[in-house]
């Protein structure tokens, strides 16, 4: 901000006793005109300052409004139709096409262009300018041509692997067989069970082994990160799968968009409902015998809305539990494949001790033990390293930031 120039000097009247009366009168008249000039100048400066003050007050009030808008959660998406000269926008709300005039802060006004998509709250306060549609599509979906997970990387859940292969891989590899026999393959496969038991791995492995593209979307992200865009992104997800067939669509944390209805009727819930409705309608309009298979996973099976489990939707439920003792031994072996472990370590005995460990916990244990070996300048992981790692994991801290799941 520029500093205002200093105030004009106060005019002085110098009367010399030697002056004649006419000279004195002249000096006084000049002094008078000078005073009028300074007065006018100060008047102008006062008007400028008060205009500036009004501008600043208005800016403060707009920033306060913007601040309030930021504190509320965004609920709707709108497109900017027009920017008016007085720092307002004409926006059109998506869904109901309602046009509204809304004021924005000068900063936001600078940032916005006609045609932008913005997130707005219930009182049409603009919260933020959204990325363009293609950006959010790319961010919301993880697309892998061939994920590097194979069935042999998964331990302790052989029955689940077999069931998933039957429900997902066989219909992709042999659709004619299903047609000839006249049975419909399951529409959607829902994997449920505690965190870190291999649900995502299973979906990736089946995509890899069926030479299908793996397309993943996470329910909680749709709700928290891509506010107001859930329904569109679900539609895009299925469209992308159709472009990429054969494809395995995997919706992780499906409970975030498909939980049983709560009693509250807030618009946030309405938005989640719209996303779930879109998912249901995509699944209902889907040809079962295609080269697109739909999978989902949840740790909160008890919370799911039954609508999602009806025939034709997620109608094959597969529980993926924590591994038993043999499973734990297998997972220990898998995660030690690439690691130089002391051959004296008895995995069967160790597996007995790892009661309640999930596959992800076992992976963390092995990695953490490796970190201890490195720290102690050794190239082999010993039983002591494993015991140290266990102790550390049970305290919830790890060397590389992976915190052990608590159930
Ligand atoms: N059965 C298993 N066999 C081998 N490794 C496993 C197994 N389960 C989990 N892991 C390890 O844990 C990591 C996380 O597993 P994954 O993401 O598949 O679990 P998830 O069940 O999908 O968990 P979440 O519910 O938290 O998403 C895997 O990358 C893998 O290294």
């Amino acid at each position: 901000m520029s500093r205002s120039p200093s105030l004009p000097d106060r005019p002085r009247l110098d009367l010399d006793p030697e002056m004649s009366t006419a000279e004195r009168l002249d000096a006084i008249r000049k002094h008078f005109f000078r005073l009028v000039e300074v007065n006018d100048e100060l008047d102008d400066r006062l008007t400028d300052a008060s205009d500036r003050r009004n501008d600043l007050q208005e800016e403060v009030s707009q920033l306060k409004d913007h601040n309030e808008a930021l504190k509320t959660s965004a609920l709707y998406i709108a497109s900017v139709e027009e920017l008016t000269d007085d720092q307002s926008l004409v926006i059109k709300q998506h869904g109901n096409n309602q046009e509204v005039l809304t004021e924005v802060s000068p900063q936001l006004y600078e940032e916005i262009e006609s045609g932008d998509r913005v997130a707005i709250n219930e009182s049409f306060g603009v919260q933020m300018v959204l990325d363009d549609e293609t950006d959010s599509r790319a961010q919301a979906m993880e697309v892998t041509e061939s994920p590097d997970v194979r069935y042999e990387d998964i331990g302790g859940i052989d029955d689940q692997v077999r069931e998933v292969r039957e429900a997902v891989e066989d219909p992709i590899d042999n659709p004619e067989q299903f047609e000839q026999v006249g049975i419909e393959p399951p529409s959607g496969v829902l994997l449920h069970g505690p965190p870190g038991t291999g649900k995502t791995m299973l979906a990736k492995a089946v995509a890899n082994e069926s030479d299908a593209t793996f397309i993943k979307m996470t329910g909680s992200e749709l709700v928290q990160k891509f506010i107001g865009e859930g329904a569109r992104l679900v539609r895009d997800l299925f469209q992308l799968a159709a472009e990429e067939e054969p494809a395995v669509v995997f919706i992780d944390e499906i409970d975030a968009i498909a939980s049983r209805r709560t009693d509250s009727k807030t618009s946030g819930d309405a938005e989640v409902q719209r996303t779930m409705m879109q998912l249901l309608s995509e699944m209902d309009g889907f040809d079962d015998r295609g080269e697109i298979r739909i999978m989902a996973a949840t740790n909160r099976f008890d919370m799911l809305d039954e609508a999602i489990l009806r025939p034709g939707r997620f109608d094959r439920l597969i529980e993926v539990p924590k591994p038993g003792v043999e499973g734990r031994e297998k997972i220990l072996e898998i995660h030690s494949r690439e690691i130089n472990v002391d051959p004296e370590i008895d995995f069967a005995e160790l597996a007995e001790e790892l009661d309640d460990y999930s596959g992800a916990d076992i992976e963390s244990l092995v990695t953490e033990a490796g970190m201890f070996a490195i720290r102690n300048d050794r190239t082999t992981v010993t039983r002591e390293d494993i015991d140290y790692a266990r102790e550390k994991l049970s305290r919830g801290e790890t060397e590389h930031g992976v915190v052990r799941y608590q159930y």
Side-chain angles (χ1 to χ4, degrees):
M1 197 194 287
S2 63
R3 281 172 73 88
S4 28
S6 54
L7 294 176
D9 287 336
R10 189 193 182 100
R12 284 179 46 164
L13 174 63
D14 290 321
L15 293 178
D16 190 337
E18 304 289 301
M19 283 175 161
S20 66
T21 310
E23 283 169 338
R24 281 170 164 252
L25 265 178
D26 190 44
I28 290 171
R29 199 173 53 246
K30 281 187 179 141
H31 179 63
F32 170 73
F33 287 131
R34 182 75 194 116
L35 280 176
V36 171
E37 251 174 49
V38 170
N39 184 47
D40 287 351
E41 195 179 335
L42 286 173
D43 241 6
D44 287 351
R45 300 271 288 273
L46 195 61
T47 315
D48 284 354
S50 118
D51 286 353
R52 178 95 184 99
R53 179 164 169 256
N54 287 344
D55 285 353
L56 287 173
Q57 269 175 345
E58 197 167 325
E59 202 172 319
V60 166
S61 120
Q62 283 165 342
L63 285 171
K64 270 192 191 149
D65 288 350
H66 184 48
N67 197 19
E68 285 306 311
L70 284 174
K71 278 197 246 161
T72 58
S73 57
L75 299 168
Y76 307 107
I77 301 293
S79 295
V80 178
E81 301 273 294
E82 195 185 319
L83 283 83
T84 65
D85 293 338
D86 58 349
Q87 288 198 352
S88 296
L89 309 175
V90 179
I91 53 171
K92 191 190 252 181
Q93 191 181 331
H94 289 196
N96 63 7
N97 281 344
Q98 190 181 358
E99 282 197 339
V100 189
L101 184 71
T102 186
E103 268 186 28
V104 286
S105 67
Q107 281 82 353
L108 208 55
Y109 187 82
E110 288 290 306
E111 220 182 289
I112 289 178
E113 285 175 22
S114 171
D116 277 350
R117 289 176 332 122
V118 288
I120 56 172
N121 64 15
E122 263 171 338
S123 35
F124 306 103
V126 174
Q127 280 208 309
M128 58 177 162
V129 186
L130 296 168
D131 292 336
D132 70 27
E133 300 197 4
T134 41
D135 276 1
S136 53
R137 184 172 162 160
Q139 281 175 29
M141 292 175 215
E142 172 191 325
V143 183
T144 322
E145 292 280 327
S146 49
D148 56 1
V149 182
R150 310 188 41 195
Y151 296 132
E152 64 205 48
D153 300 328
I154 307 175
I157 46 172
D158 295 348
D159 289 346
Q160 287 78 359
V161 172
R162 188 180 38 73
E163 279 190 68
V164 167
R165 293 187 70 168
E166 276 170 18
V168 178
E169 190 179 326
D170 293 353
I172 291 181
D173 285 353
N174 268 320
E176 322 76 40
Q177 199 179 4
F178 282 82
E179 257 165 62
Q180 280 160 5
V181 180
I183 56 159
E184 304 268 326
S187 293
V189 175
L190 179 75
L191 306 174
H192 62 99
T197 47
K199 298 182 289 298
T200 308
M201 277 187 105
L202 203 45
K204 282 188 174 167
V206 77
N208 181 19
E209 310 255 359
S210 348
D211 289 324
T213 305
F214 177 75
I215 309 174
K216 177 181 164 189
M217 194 176 250
T218 303
S220 59
E221 284 191 358
L222 287 191
V223 177
Q224 288 155 15
K225 194 163 156 201
F226 303 103
I227 310 147
E229 301 181 88
R232 182 181 58 81
L233 285 168
V234 165
R235 201 178 56 231
D236 287 356
L237 174 71
F238 282 81
Q239 197 184 330
L240 182 69
E243 287 162 19
E244 296 284 332
E245 0 178 29
V248 170
V249 167
F250 179 62
I251 305 170
D252 202 6
E253 298 178 34
I254 194 169
D255 44 283
I257 51 168
S259 277
R260 243 174 281 132
R261 256 155 269 204
T262 52
D263 286 337
S264 69
K265 295 264 183 298
T266 66
S267 314
D269 282 348
E271 149 73 10
V272 175
Q273 282 294 312
R274 268 201 301 277
T275 307
M276 173 165 113
M277 289 307 171
Q278 186 67 38
L279 176 62
L280 297 183
S281 98
E282 292 293 341
M283 291 192 81
D284 292 347
F286 212 67
D287 177 4
D288 286 341
R289 294 192 188 99
E291 295 218 301
I292 300 171
R293 311 303 307 155
I294 306 164
M295 299 182 74
T298 180
N299 306 326
R300 312 291 312 270
F301 184 64
D302 54 318
M303 299 276 292
L304 289 187
D305 191 319
E306 274 159 28
I308 201 98
L309 305 175
R310 289 205 194 115
R313 295 172 181 169
F314 288 99
D315 48 10
R316 176 65 62 93
L317 308 179
I318 301 177
E319 187 181 358
V320 185
K322 283 196 200 167
V325 63
E326 280 173 28
R328 296 198 292 268
E329 184 182 342
K330 187 81 211 301
I331 299 172
L332 273 169
E333 278 161 15
I334 291 170
H335 286 290
S336 312
R337 270 188 213 141
E338 311 283 317
I339 293 183
N340 199 5
V341 179
D342 179 355
E344 294 291 298
I345 297 179
D346 181 344
F347 280 156
E349 190 187 293
L350 178 59
E352 292 273 359
E353 296 171 28
L354 300 181
D355 195 25
D356 213 34
Y357 268 57
S358 68
D361 294 334
I362 295 174
E363 186 198 11
S364 296
L365 179 75
V366 174
T367 314
E368 211 52 49
M371 300 297 292
F372 274 112
I374 291 173
R375 188 190 287 167
N376 292 313
D377 245 352
R378 274 184 279 101
T379 47
T380 306
V381 173
T382 64
R383 180 60 211 233
E384 285 72 46
D385 295 326
I386 293 185
D387 290 339
Y388 273 127
R390 269 181 76 188
E391 209 179 295
K392 193 168 183 185
L393 289 173
S394 66
R395 290 201 306 266
E397 350 152 351
T398 74
E399 196 79 9
H400 56 288
V402 179
V403 173
R404 194 190 153 190
Y405 293 111
Q406 307 286 339
Y407 310 119

